[in-house]
Amino acid sequence: MNDNYIIKTTGLEHRHTKGVKTLTDINLAVKKGEIYGFLGPNGAGKTTTLRLLLGLSKLQTGKIEIFGQEFGTNRIEILKKIGSLIETPSLYGHLRANENLEVYRELYGASKARLTEVLKIVGLDKTGSKKVKQFSLGMKQRLSVALALLPNPELLILDEPANGLDPTGIIELRELVKKLNKEEGMTILMSSHQLSEIEKMVSHVGIISKGEIIFQGSLHALGQLQKKQSSVLIHTSDDQLAMDVLKAYTPEYIGHAISIAYQDEQEIAKMSRALHEKQLDIYLLHPQQNNLEQLFMDLTTQHA
């Protein structure tokens, strides 16, 4: 296995007890230093995959390697280097932030100094005597992340960390994730069902739909795919003739306009010149570029 990979799964498959297949041939690849967004609709298989990575569900088919080691035979050693937040952790509302961490500190083998350090990292070191039940959702989520940070992990796995957060809480989470990656050197794998929530955080993306990976690569590569799916709407004084003039671009007639997929703005300029050469008046020339959220929706809808 390439030492550059922190997580690598091969042919991962899983079935529920009733025999329903939930994962098919999952080949996840997360490199050291990445913030990897694991995206998909609710029920797509994200949590099942993360539970397998943490040994919370039994591996049925396939292979899991973490930190270059086979998970099954090195489970305890590997888990010591992972921090995770899967579903909702148990927080004690009647206790303060530091008291909540103290409950788990010895379990994780962390020092009192580490407890103070993680509270500072997540920005909860000045909450004083404030009880957790008085915390906002964003503050509770940051405290949950602090719990995951107690063992000083190399890898942090977060399952739907933005769930239920208001815009302020999402911004706080975004800044925390970036800080952990940049300043603490952590590789981070985080799941979400909304690309718009985490596209400002992640460097790489894996999109899962109905238990299958339908895209995996850098956020830049996803952006390039978005550009390839862009189209321009054209309406002229004679759309039938325009269809013939632009037939090399495989035009489609939609409603009262022609829709043509394009790669770049130079192609639009060529189309415009071709129409002018045929003395066609152009009433509409409107480029339509999908945003990444729309592309995510299109990809998962097409796979449904």
Side-chain angles (χ1 to χ4, degrees):
M1 174 179 167
N2 189 327
D3 290 337
N4 202 29
Y5 284 105
I6 293 292
I7 299 173
K8 192 171 180 64
T9 70
T10 307
L12 209 60
E13 300 198 353
H14 192 77
R15 291 179 184 272
H16 280 322
T17 50
K18 294 182 179 179
V20 178
K21 200 169 191 179
T22 55
L23 296 178
T24 302
D25 196 27
I26 299 296
N27 299 303
L28 209 59
V30 181
K31 290 185 178 180
K32 185 175 182 178
E34 289 181 351
I35 303 177
Y36 186 106
F38 192 37
L39 301 161
N42 289 327
K46 302 186 299 298
T47 299
T48 300
T49 303
L50 298 187
R51 289 181 63 85
L52 287 169
L53 292 178
L54 293 166
L56 298 174
S57 293
K58 187 178 179 181
L59 179 64
Q60 296 174 350
T61 304
K63 186 178 181 182
I64 298 174
E65 295 172 281
I66 302 179
F67 303 118
Q69 298 177 300
E70 198 274 321
F71 184 78
T73 54
N74 301 278
R75 183 173 179 268
I76 301 302
E77 183 183 347
I78 288 170
L79 289 176
K80 286 180 179 178
K81 298 190 285 185
I82 299 177
S84 64
L85 174 57
I86 305 293
E87 298 169 346
T88 305
S90 297
L91 297 176
Y92 298 95
H94 65 288
L95 299 179
R96 295 175 295 181
N98 64 323
E99 292 171 335
N100 265 274
L101 293 189
E102 184 61 39
V103 171
Y104 295 93
R105 183 180 65 78
E106 289 190 15
L107 178 66
Y108 285 115
S111 66
K112 286 185 178 292
R114 179 61 182 169
L115 187 153
T116 303
E117 185 181 4
V118 297
L119 281 176
K120 189 173 183 179
I121 289 171
V122 301
L124 293 176
D125 53 321
K126 293 182 172 62
T127 54
S129 60
K130 193 173 186 178
K131 303 292 176 62
V132 167
K133 63 185 176 183
Q134 298 171 298
F135 282 11
S136 67
L137 276 175
M139 291 172 71
K140 288 178 181 176
Q141 195 72 324
R142 281 187 280 145
L143 181 56
S144 300
V145 173
L147 281 174
L149 296 179
L150 273 177
N152 197 16
E154 294 179 37
L155 170 65
L156 184 62
I157 296 178
L158 305 173
D159 186 23
E160 299 274 6
N163 260 7
L165 296 185
D166 59 18
T168 301
I170 291 173
I171 292 171
E172 290 175 352
L173 175 68
R174 181 193 311 159
E175 295 309 309
L176 175 57
V177 166
K178 288 181 177 179
K179 179 182 179 181
L180 293 172
N181 178 253
K182 186 176 180 180
E183 298 181 14
E184 305 295 321
M186 285 183 198
T187 302
I188 299 171
L189 168 62
M190 56 191 302
S191 73
S192 178
H193 63 278
Q194 290 188 349
L195 175 60
S196 59
E197 283 182 354
I198 68 169
E199 66 173 297
K200 296 181 178 67
M201 305 182 224
V202 305
S203 57
H204 291 74
V205 172
I207 298 178
I208 185 171
S209 178
K210 292 191 176 296
E212 296 181 37
I213 297 286
I214 57 175
F215 175 87
Q216 183 167 226
S218 67
L219 197 62
H220 174 73
L222 186 62
Q224 294 302 111
L225 180 61
Q226 166 212 340
K227 289 182 179 179
K228 288 180 181 178
Q229 295 203 356
S230 298
S231 61
V232 59
L233 288 180
I234 299 172
H235 176 45
T236 71
S237 53
D238 187 339
D239 282 347
Q240 189 56 58
L241 177 56
M243 292 273 287
D244 292 336
V245 172
L246 302 175
K247 63 182 178 181
Y249 297 98
T250 318
E252 290 183 72
Y253 197 71
I254 300 174
H256 299 290
I258 300 166
S259 177
I260 301 177
Y262 71 92
Q263 299 289 327
D264 51 42
E265 292 178 347
Q266 284 73 27
E267 274 197 326
I268 296 177
K270 287 180 182 177
M271 295 179 207
S272 178
R273 284 196 295 270
L275 294 172
H276 277 300
E277 285 172 4
K278 293 295 183 179
Q279 297 184 332
L280 288 168
D281 293 327
I282 300 175
Y283 302 142
L284 175 71
L285 188 67
H286 181 53
Q288 294 186 311
Q289 191 175 88
N290 289 334
N291 57 32
L292 289 180
E293 180 72 9
Q294 185 59 51
L295 175 62
F296 169 63
M297 293 298 294
D298 290 346
L299 287 172
T300 53
T301 300
Q302 289 165 12
H303 186 257

